[in-house]
Amino acid sequence: MKMTGAQILCESLVREGVEVIFGILGGAILPLYDTLPQYPQLRHILVRHEQCAAHAADGYARATGKVGVCMATSGPGATNLVTGIANACLDSVPIVAITGQVARPFIGKDAFQEIDITGITLPITKHNYLVLDTGSLAKVVKEAFYLAGTGRPGPVLIDLPRDVQIEQAEFHYPSRVDLPSYKPTLKGHPAQIKKAAKLINEAQRPLIIAGRGIIISGAYAELKQLAESAQIPVVTTLLGISCFPESHVLSYGMLGMHGMAYANMAVDAADLIIAIGMRFDDRATAKVSAFAPHAKIIHIDIDPAEIGKNVRVDVPIVGDVKEVLRELNKLITSTEHIDWVRQLDDWRKGHPSTEIRDSDGLLPQYVVRKIYEVTKGEAIVVTGVGQHQMWAAQHYWYDRPNSFISSGGLGTMGFGLPAAIGAKVGCPDSIVWCIDGDGSLQMTIQELATIAQEKLAVKIAIMHNGYLGMVRQWQELFYERRYVATPLSGPDFVKIAEAYSIPGLRVKHKEEVVPAIEKAMAEQGPFLIDFMIEPEENVYPMVPPGASLAEVLEAPKKEAKARHDSAKLPVSNI
Ligand SMILES: Cc1ncc(C[n+]2csc(CCOP(=O)(O)OP(=O)(O)O)c2C)c(N)n1
Ligand SMILES: [Mg+2]
């Protein structure tokens, strides 16, 4: 059957099970948009900036486990996607980005809105395509979805010249892909698995470090089995949060720069690290030469390029973590590590990193804890980047699998609101809270319009400190409090929300916190709360840049009060 390129693309998306596309149109992609009404299965959500189309596709993909799709026109539409694509690339999120391109005869002529987007995105995509042959389009789409969603997931871009969208070709959707050079290893090598099991069975102080790979492969049960059968404590990376129930007796929270002190101490003292679906990011390892000095390391990851990249590994196992753990679990002898677990519990008692200090002021940690309590831990929490992101990671307890969505690798301010849109579209029956910073929100605040237009019940909590707070914290601790360019004025966020027909409240006092969260939950649609938090509150624990995990700084209790008393008022026009 003959179809236009635009129809081939839409038909292929339908075959891939795509339900929603986030995007903004323009001249070079107009033929494709003009075809969309023929495919009512494809819901299009108009965002207000293409960066947010990519972040929404990313949030959708993380929340559902499916491939997210975003779309933009050529030139500035395509370049606006770049941050979102890079974000998905660094966090291994499967998205397919479709861009319009100028017609084939104009390519290379600096035509209006021509940009070499495949060139630009080469290092931040798993693969990309410039489609010059309409007849190959169906095959390209099939491959793109396969590449994005298999192995180590990641973004794939398809650049579609305008005339390819119009030209007719025979449509045949391939049933399989044929990519001889792309064969992700799923099964771990049995000899390596045996070696790993031996190390685990002999270890005195084993520790699991679990990352987002557990979530991606859905290995929740396998991880739990490994931890429980050999009584191995579990810590997670930032992106591993919610891969293991945080109220489990063997859960010791997040490690790393703002991880729990006892999690970092455990890494420092362990004699065996079992690193699963994580990539030894420097925010997780801190000073890499001093990382886990007493431990042998088992590293299980689907991407062979991660093995030995940052730390020396004793037993590498390349494979899908779910499959590897299934095999590994068969070889684990049921045992206990009573002294080791007791040691960790003692550290936790002595270093209660999630304790919230007494204060009459409005502490962000308290706000996060109350969101946890009112939502009964049922929400999907999506964050921006900064201090609020760390408080959201530390003070909400994630028992529900895959309930924390955050920008880890790229650390993209502005990710929160559009990613929350994607999560809510993907999981309409889930409660979605966006815990955002006043700085992060201002980077993508225009998406309130998308929320209003699509009537998405996203609940927004702004941790309003009047600062680019995380950078201010570094200036306070490492630049002698020279607050250059971190005081941040903002608009009246409640009025802004109101202008978008979104109800909201401002909260200045502790006792208003719970009623405000309850009101947000009672509201059918979206709701925004502007929490005016302590302006100079810091995130602790903190491993200073360049230090090792053992050199973790904890909240200076007395000093915290003094700092508050001398705090400058935030430069805010409210
Ligand atoms: C796009 C982008 N620009 C700059 C930064 C550097 N940066 C990291 S955290 C931060 C401050 C974030 O401020 P806000 O969103 O208000 O969060 P807070 O730390 O105050 O909670 C900045 C500027 C970044 N991560 N992303
Ligand atoms: Mg801030």
Side-chain angles (χ1 to χ4, degrees):
M1 196 186 11
K2 282 219 161 193
M3 287 183 172
T4 65
Q7 286 171 321
I8 291 173
L9 186 96
C10 292
E11 187 64 43
S12 304
L13 294 182
V14 170
R15 304 276 175 117
E16 287 299 324
V18 173
E19 292 162 344
V20 61
I21 299 165
F22 302 91
I24 302 186
L25 76 180
I29 202 162
L30 199 44
L32 179 51
Y33 268 80
D34 193 48
T35 307
L36 274 181
Q38 297 171 26
Y39 296 87
Q41 310 95 311
L42 300 174
R43 174 182 179 193
H44 181 267
I45 293 186
L46 179 70
V47 293
R48 299 301 186 271
H49 188 297
E50 291 85 353
Q51 178 188 348
C52 299
H55 288 330
D58 177 322
Y60 173 91
R62 293 192 212 217
T64 62
K66 298 183 201 162
V67 178
V69 180
C70 57
M71 213 138 98
T73 194
S74 65
T79 55
N80 275 352
L81 288 176
V82 167
T83 298
I85 294 172
N87 189 78
C89 187
L90 280 159
D91 286 352
S92 310
V93 181
I95 64 170
V96 169
I98 299 158
T99 47
Q101 181 55 280
V102 298
R104 283 167 294 184
F106 292 95
I107 291 178
K109 310 259 182 206
D110 291 337
F112 177 64
Q113 295 191 329
E114 183 194 356
I115 203 80
D116 175 10
I117 197 64
T118 47
I120 289 173
T121 58
L122 191 67
I124 53 165
T125 48
K126 205 169 156 183
H127 193 55
N128 66 25
Y129 299 87
L130 169 61
V131 182
L132 296 172
D133 168 20
T134 313
S136 72
L137 181 54
K139 182 171 165 282
V140 163
V141 177
K142 179 80 192 172
E143 282 180 13
F145 277 80
Y146 181 71
L147 286 168
T150 58
R152 177 180 183 168
V156 177
L157 181 134
I158 303 172
D159 199 22
L160 211 53
R162 193 175 192 281
D163 56 337
V164 171
Q165 297 166 43
I166 297 164
E167 190 176 67
Q168 293 214 332
E170 203 60 46
F171 176 73
H172 164 71
Y173 203 62
S175 53
R176 308 187 300 115
V177 292
D178 181 23
L179 293 167
S181 59
Y182 176 75
K183 297 257 186 282
T185 305
L186 302 180
K187 284 204 173 316
H189 194 288
Q192 293 298 93
I193 294 177
K194 234 181 180 169
K195 271 191 213 160
K198 186 165 183 297
L199 284 184
I200 294 170
N201 290 335
E202 287 169 3
Q204 303 295 310
R205 300 184 307 279
L207 181 73
I208 293 171
I209 305 180
R212 198 174 116 68
I214 300 285
I215 295 172
I216 295 170
S217 81
Y220 306 101
E222 290 75 8
L223 172 63
K224 215 163 156 200
Q225 191 186 331
L226 175 64
E228 286 176 353
S229 62
Q231 291 292 299
I232 307 174
V234 178
V235 302
T236 74
T237 62
L238 176 73
L239 292 190
I241 286 178
S242 77
C243 78
F244 188 75
E246 290 197 321
S247 60
H248 194 287
V249 284
L250 289 167
S251 168
Y252 292 88
M254 172 174 82
L255 88 164
M257 179 173 271
H258 291 296
M260 305 297 104
Y262 41 85
N264 290 342
M265 293 158 90
V267 175
D268 200 58
D271 68 352
L272 178 67
I273 298 284
I274 308 147
I276 313 174
M278 58 83 76
R279 61 179 177 83
F280 297 100
D281 177 89
D282 53 87
R283 285 292 190 269
T285 60
K287 186 179 176 182
V288 79
S289 58
F291 177 76
H294 310 292
K296 290 214 153 107
I297 297 179
I298 298 167
H299 188 192
I300 308 171
D301 202 282
I302 199 157
D303 185 355
E306 289 300 342
I307 305 290
K309 186 179 82 179
N310 293 340
V311 301
R312 48 156 190 95
V313 172
D314 298 282
V315 181
I317 306 176
V318 176
D320 176 65
V321 296
K322 189 178 175 119
E323 295 219 15
V324 173
L325 288 182
R326 257 192 206 150
E327 294 307 312
L328 183 62
N329 281 336
K330 291 180 192 162
L331 308 176
I332 299 301
T333 40
S334 168
T335 158
E336 286 182 328
H337 297 99
I338 296 171
D339 291 344
W340 173 229
V341 171
R342 191 174 294 146
Q343 170 71 81
L344 262 69
D345 287 338
D346 285 349
W347 282 333
R348 178 154 53 187
K349 274 190 212 106
H351 305 270
S353 303
T354 56
E355 193 177 68
I356 301 171
R357 75 185 146 83
D358 267 343
S359 166
D360 295 333
L362 187 53
L363 294 182
Q365 301 90 332
Y366 176 85
V367 173
V368 172
R369 186 66 53 81
K370 292 298 159 191
I371 294 176
Y372 166 75
E373 286 172 9
V374 175
T375 61
K376 302 187 179 73
E378 286 294 316
I380 297 176
V381 173
V382 188
T383 76
V385 167
Q387 292 180 307
H388 63 280
Q389 175 187 29
M390 295 302 140
W391 291 316
Q394 294 172 337
H395 295 281
Y396 193 105
W397 285 306
Y398 299 90
D399 281 347
R400 182 185 153 166
N402 194 20
S403 53
F404 178 73
I405 294 180
S406 199
S407 167
L410 196 64
T412 312
M413 287 173 71
F415 173 77
L417 195 62
I421 290 175
K424 186 66 189 174
V425 169
C427 303
D429 299 330
S430 295
I431 303 160
V432 175
W433 273 86
C434 173
I435 299 182
D436 221 342
D438 47 344
S440 292
L441 182 62
Q442 288 189 72
M443 289 207 177
T444 48
I445 195 165
Q446 74 285 344
E447 298 308 320
L448 288 174
T450 309
I451 287 178
Q453 185 168 354
E454 295 292 329
K455 301 189 175 55
L456 298 170
V458 173
K459 316 293 177 183
I460 302 155
I462 307 173
M463 299 292 150
H464 191 156
N465 51 11
Y467 282 111
L468 294 167
M470 185 56 95
V471 184
R472 184 208 57 74
Q473 175 168 343
W474 283 47
Q475 290 172 329
E476 177 186 331
L477 299 177
F478 313 117
Y479 291 82
E480 296 166 328
R481 299 191 70 158
R482 289 187 295 278
Y483 291 172
V484 180
T486 41
L488 174 78
S489 78
D492 180 330
F493 288 109
V494 179
K495 278 194 185 150
I496 289 271
E498 194 190 328
Y500 285 110
S501 310
I502 295 172
L505 274 179
R506 177 162 304 109
V507 168
K508 293 181 177 165
H509 306 290
K510 206 174 168 179
E511 48 297 347
E512 300 161 0
V513 171
V514 170
I517 299 167
E518 282 171 346
K519 186 158 171 36
M521 295 290 288
E523 197 73 34
Q524 288 265 303
F527 199 88
L528 178 147
I529 311 176
D530 188 17
F531 289 103
M532 306 301 295
I533 59 165
E534 291 287 342
E536 293 193 64
E537 187 64 19
N538 282 343
V539 180
Y540 286 108
M542 179 175 195
V543 177
S548 72
L549 289 179
E551 297 168 279
V552 55
L553 300 177
E554 294 179 75
K557 284 191 177 124
K558 277 204 182 121
E559 199 233 316
K561 169 91 173 73
R563 190 176 51 243
H564 165 53
D565 292 344
S566 67
K568 283 188 259 170
L569 281 177
V571 184
S572 172
N573 56 8
I574 297 173

